[in-house]
Amino acid sequence: MRSIRIIFAGVLTFGVMPQAFAASESYEIVILNHRFEPAELTIPAGQKVKLVVDNRDATPEEFESKELRREKVIPGHSKATILVGPLVSGEYRFFGEFHEDTAQGKLIVK
């Protein structure tokens, strides 16, 4: 009987996990002319969110944030999905490593 309970608990746990870790909201950030648009994006605190980064430039750019612990190279004319959170309230900066002088942004978490 004990082994049946353990297996059943494992099935329940794994059946729930994808929903528990799914991002609740999706936000788009566009890279155009080596800049992030919008440069400031407000997202909710305490929730996992999906950032869809659409690089409309012909050249690649890297979405990088030391505070978010994320790095992702996005080839020209393509999109990438980056999951973040849940985060506490505050500001989290990100930048494009290949064009750091112009590609700057931040997430404002409220």
Side-chain angles (χ1 to χ4, degrees):
M1 187 64 138
R2 180 175 161 80
S3 63
I4 292 173
R5 282 190 213 144
I6 292 170
I7 292 170
F8 185 70
V11 169
L12 284 178
T13 300
F14 289 111
V16 173
M17 279 178 59
Q19 293 173 348
F21 291 105
S24 59
E25 293 189 49
S26 180
Y27 297 86
E28 184 176 67
I29 298 173
V30 173
I31 300 170
L32 185 61
N33 297 321
H34 311 300
R35 296 181 186 281
F36 289 109
E37 301 285 336
E40 292 185 5
L41 180 63
T42 301
I43 64 171
Q47 294 183 17
K48 190 166 198 165
V49 300
K50 182 187 326 181
L51 302 178
V52 178
V53 183
D54 182 0
N55 184 358
R56 296 186 184 166
D57 287 337
T59 57
E61 184 57 88
E62 182 173 16
F63 177 97
E64 184 169 345
S65 174
K66 291 174 179 47
E67 297 161 356
L68 296 170
R69 297 184 190 150
R70 297 290 184 271
E71 285 185 67
K72 180 77 175 176
V73 174
I74 305 149
H77 300 295
S78 62
K79 295 181 181 183
T81 299
I82 301 166
L83 298 177
V84 298
L87 300 170
V88 298
S89 296
E91 294 184 359
Y92 300 81
R93 298 196 178 279
F94 57 89
F95 60 93
E97 187 172 351
F98 302 151
H99 299 94
E100 198 168 341
D101 55 326
T102 57
Q104 296 283 327
K106 68 180 166 181
L107 292 179
I108 301 169
V109 180
K110 293 184 178 182

